[in-house]
């Protein structure tokens, strides 16, 4: 989560610039490259895929049908605002 400055992420299929108000969420096992300047201020968080799958099952009443996969770049919008509130 960039706080000040921006970074670039490349997941092999797409390349994106990520700035404050945006975030990056990578799927387990995903291949990626991140380039960022030395002066980038960011928050880094690691979340257990197993914990997310358990939480999904608790919320929906069933386990995910397939491994969880995420779009790597999260733009500022309602779901991301809700996530940031939890941080």
């Amino acid at each position: 989560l960039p706080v000040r400055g921006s970074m670039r992420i490349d997941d092999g299929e797409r390349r994106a610039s990520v700035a404050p108000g945006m975030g990056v969420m990578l799927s387990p096992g995903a291949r990626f490259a991140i380039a960022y300047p030395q002066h980038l201020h960011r928050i880094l968080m690691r979340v257990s895929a197993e914990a997310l799958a358990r939480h999904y099952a608790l919320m929906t009443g069933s386990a995910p049908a397939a491994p969880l996969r995420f779009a790597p770049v999260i733009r500022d919008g309602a779901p991301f605002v809700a996530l940031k509130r939890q941080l």
Side-chain angles (χ1 to χ4, degrees):
L1 303 170
V3 176
R4 193 173 327 134
S6 63
M7 59 187 177
R8 286 189 330 266
I9 180 167
D10 184 342
D11 71 356
E13 293 181 25
R14 48 195 172 266
R15 186 177 294 174
S17 181
V18 182
M22 301 170 69
V24 175
M25 183 176 276
L26 299 165
S27 299
R31 295 180 149 293
F32 62 92
I34 296 178
Y36 54 88
Q38 188 174 12
H39 66 275
L40 176 69
H41 292 251
R42 66 192 182 282
I43 297 172
L44 180 63
M45 219 172 71
R46 185 178 179 133
V47 178
S48 160
E50 293 80 21
L52 283 177
R54 283 192 306 271
H55 190 70
Y56 175 92
L58 286 171
M59 291 178 66
T60 64
S62 61
L68 299 175
R69 296 285 178 239
F70 308 102
V73 176
I74 304 170
R75 307 231 180 266
D76 208 1
F80 190 51
V81 169
L83 174 63
K84 288 191 290 189
R85 269 191 235 128
Q86 298 299 316
L87 301 176

